[in-house]
Amino acid sequence: MAWESLDRRTPVIEPNAPPVLSEAIRAKIRSFFPRYETKRAALLPALHVVQDALGHVSWQAMKEIAEVLEIPPAQVLDTISFYTHFWTHEKGRKVVVLCRSLSCQLLGADAVRQAIERQLKIGEHETTEDGAYSFVTEECLAACDHAPCLLINERLHKCVKPGDVPKLLADPNNDRVAMPRSELFDRPAGSAVESKGGA
Amino acid sequence: MASFEPVLTRNFGVENIRSIDVYRAKGGYKAAETALRSMSPEQVVEVVTAANLRGRGGAGFPAGVKWSFLPKDRRITYLCVNADESEPGTFNNRALMEGDPHQVLEGILISGYATRTTTAYIYMRVEFHEQFHVLQKALDAAYAAGLFGRNILGTNFSMDCYIHRGAGAYVCGEETGLIESLEGKRGWPRIKPPFPAVEGLFRRPTVVNNVETLACVVHIIERGAEWFKSIGTANSAGPKLYTISGPVKRPGVYEAPLGLSCRELIFGDAYAQGMSDGKGVKGCIPGGLSVGVLTEQELDCKLDFDDVRKYGLLGLGTAGAIVIPSDADIRQVLMNVTRFYAHESCGQCTQCREGTSWMYKIAARIAIGAGRIEDLDLLIEVSQNMGMMGGLSICGLPDGAAYPIRTIVEKFRDEFERHIRAQEPGRAAEVLRRLNPAAYSLPILGQSRWVGVR
């Protein structure tokens, strides 16, 4: 068959599943409420908080976010499906985002892409078997002066050459920026599923 | 031009400029004090209007005029700072935010005062991680110094400022798309009118300005409208951050008066200093992807708000130049451009949603060596019908898609035709048949047999 049909009888969310959002995460989401006139406006920050803490935003997490924000779950799904940053299924601990826009392509992003795919043995939108890396390409990362550039979680790597890729991906600290940080969007302490690491 | 003194980038590279004390020692927040203590909001708007500060985000709408559209009897006003920089080739906002974050905040403070803003939101794209931390730290310091919050600088003006992080959508750089996104919805631009100045964020009067526009406000207050107008050309006043990328010797951000020629930007000693590896220039996209392309012969185009239109371009855009080297395959360039718009179209208006993906399919076909001469006319026809006709779509994205695609096809038509003629004969039909068997399994007139489906 050319298409797959969805099984609509099995519920996506287990009826009696324990909540996935801890009280700390909920408190963090609520801390964004005073900033906006409506609670719905805190949805993007909430999704960021949840994704940073849990790795991705599952259907159950969406439903619980809807509870916290007092909006229908459909509105959460509506919003989340628009933005490319959010993952609704499991992703790797580190996400490699390669810029594919014109400046980077002119300076050899295609070769970098092949090097990444060779090194990680995955294609775009795939995750390595050990769950360490996911690989995606994105439109312009606004660092065209350092083309070709790629982002690993929150750290931008500039002027990447295909030969640098194996070393870059082997470096355990390739995803954190060492600088004075604001904790505003960082995951709340003690709330995270620690086995996820990274974030 | 030799007498031009950079102002927006004057603090770039100063040690510890991200700290508020260093910024103040450099004369920072003086303009804000002048504005808040000795001027009324209306006077600030007047000065900015007199300076003819045109928006730096792409459309070039005068900022002071935009502010004056706010209804007089409003109680709540929002200021949205557009830091959702995602136009390919553009990175001047990033440079401003990481190079001199307090300058941006001072611009927000003055503009917020001028518009009697109650809350300012900096809508920053999520890929800016480092810039977020830099700006948030600067914002925390500014709050602690009493520059945001209640009764700023001892006056009775109060304003809050928050950073709101986006989630990866080009269309959220459009002002109403940004507002929708801030409200927690999909970033679908709204139908105008009502314009945001009347009914914007949370249905309150709202002003949306680019980061660079607000940074310019600081210097207009500091040095006056006359100084600002003395820079640049008659209709395009002020300094502008030009960014240049591609295979040039020194890609980066350069501040220059508006009206810099594209050739000067690429080859000038003060700017990119020519092409790397001795490559030639095939063309240049001078103002962010959406404005269109200039050929090598057209490089003398002045990059201001008016001159670019003489070359069939959409406008100045963001002044982020991408240089296309002579050895680049124009088919790949076209495919990259069309893919961008096909990916970033928000999907509300039919002609944009369908047109951008259709053009991507055509461009991809040409790029894999299965193009037809008539595809070039088809691309131009689609781009004509999609953008360029006013009032057909909710936002400017289809225009932004139509201009680069049309100009690339028109200005490099010879090259496309050369490539297409060099294809092996029958390749186009074969690939098309494989890609879309249904459409090509029709009987060909005058033949008795069916063209087979495989």
Side-chain angles (χ1 to χ4, degrees), chain A residues 35-38 41 43 48 78-79 81-85 100 103 105 139-140 142 144-145 154 181-182 185, chain B residues 78 94 121 125-126 129 132-133 136-137 164 166-168 181 184-187 204 245 336 339-340 344:
Chain A
R35 299 176 160 218
Y36 308 102
E37 263 189 45
T38 62
L43 179 51
H48 280 299
D78 181 54
T79 302
S81 58
F82 185 77
Y83 298 96
T84 49
H85 179 72
R100 65 175 185 212
S103 302
Q105 184 178 335
E139 300 300 349
C140 196
C144 313
D145 48 346
E154 56 175 37
R181 300 170 60 86
S182 158
F185 276 89
Chain B
Y78 291 113
R94 174 177 67 88
Y121 297 103
R125 64 179 301 189
V126 70
H129 294 283
F132 165 72
H133 290 298
Q136 184 64 47
K137 280 283 170 197
H164 185 94
S181 179
K185 304 172 187 163
R186 356 182 83 206
R204 314 271 191 196
S245 58
N336 191 306
R339 181 180 59 196
F340 175 75
E344 298 297 345

Side-chain angles (χ1 to χ4, degrees), chain A residues 32 34-45 48 52 71 75-86 97 100-107 110 113 137-147 151-156 158 177 179-186, chain B residues 18 76 78 85-91 94 119 121 123 125-130 132-134 136-137 162-169 171-172 181-188 202 204 245-247 251-252 285 289 322-325 328 332-333 336-337 339-340 343-344 346:
Chain A
F32 282 96
R35 299 176 160 218
Y36 308 102
E37 263 189 45
T38 62
K39 285 186 178 168
R40 185 176 181 176
L43 179 51
L44 248 51
H48 280 299
D52 287 351
I71 56 176
Q75 288 187 354
V76 180
L77 181 61
D78 181 54
T79 302
I80 198 172
S81 58
F82 185 77
Y83 298 96
T84 49
H85 179 72
F86 299 120
V97 182
R100 65 175 185 212
S101 277
L102 191 54
S103 302
C104 289
Q105 184 178 335
L106 291 172
L107 289 166
D110 287 343
R113 178 202 177 112
T137 59
E138 256 297 345
E139 300 300 349
C140 196
L141 298 177
C144 313
D145 48 346
H146 305 300
L151 201 63
I152 299 182
N153 281 359
E154 56 175 37
R155 183 154 159 205
L156 184 72
K158 302 167 176 174
V177 211
M179 59 181 294
R181 300 170 60 86
S182 158
E183 277 112 52
L184 194 64
F185 276 89
D186 281 0
Chain B
R18 291 170 181 176
I76 295 176
Y78 291 113
E85 180 166 64
S86 30
E87 183 75 39
T90 309
F91 43 95
R94 174 177 67 88
T119 311
Y121 297 103
Y123 188 96
R125 64 179 301 189
V126 70
E127 287 83 357
F128 283 168
H129 294 283
E130 194 183 331
F132 165 72
H133 290 298
V134 169
Q136 184 64 47
K137 280 283 170 197
Y162 303 115
I163 300 179
H164 185 94
R165 301 186 77 181
V171 77
C172 292
S181 179
L182 248 172
E183 289 182 0
K185 304 172 187 163
R186 356 182 83 206
W188 274 357
F202 307 122
R204 314 271 191 196
S245 58
I285 293 174
L289 203 56
I322 305 173
V323 185
I324 304 169
Q332 295 292 336
V333 173
N336 191 306
V337 172
R339 181 180 59 196
F340 175 75
H343 184 254
E344 298 297 345
C346 80

Side-chain angles (χ1 to χ4, degrees), chain A residues 146 148-152 155-160 168 174-175:
Chain A
H146 305 300
C149 56
L150 61 87
L151 201 63
I152 299 182
R155 183 154 159 205
L156 184 72
H157 297 272
K158 302 167 176 174
C159 305
V160 182
L168 187 68
N174 56 9
D175 66 327

Side-chain angles (χ1 to χ4, degrees), chain B residues 359-399:
Chain B
M359 289 200 285
Y360 173 44
K361 285 178 197 161
I362 299 171
R365 212 156 68 195
I366 296 174
I368 58 171
R372 304 169 300 174
I373 300 288
E374 57 262 40
D375 281 342
L376 302 174
D377 300 309
L378 186 58
L379 278 171
I380 291 175
E381 190 187 332
V382 176
S383 67
Q384 293 278 19
N385 291 341
M386 191 178 80
M388 300 192 181
M389 251 188 270
L392 277 185
S393 51
I394 296 175
C395 78
L397 194 141
D399 302 81

Side-chain angles (χ1 to χ4, degrees), chain B residues 136-166:
Chain B
Q136 184 64 47
K137 280 283 170 197
L139 187 58
D140 293 345
Y143 257 104
L147 292 160
F148 287 99
R150 295 204 69 76
N151 296 352
I152 297 166
L153 293 169
T155 62
N156 58 7
F157 172 64
S158 302
M159 169 168 95
D160 279 313
C161 182
Y162 303 115
I163 300 179
H164 185 94
R165 301 186 77 181

Side-chain angles (χ1 to χ4, degrees), chain B residues 37-89:
Chain B
R37 294 218 169 110
S38 61
M39 294 167 87
S40 73
E42 289 73 24
Q43 281 170 327
V44 181
V45 177
E46 256 170 49
V47 173
V48 174
T49 312
N52 192 18
L53 167 62
R54 297 178 66 171
R56 301 305 201 225
F61 194 80
V65 178
K66 199 186 234 180
W67 296 353
S68 64
F69 288 156
L70 291 165
K72 295 278 171 287
D73 54 347
R74 64 191 190 275
R75 278 177 42 246
I76 295 176
T77 315
Y78 291 113
L79 171 67
C80 298
V81 185
N82 192 341
D84 189 61
E85 180 166 64
S86 30
E87 183 75 39

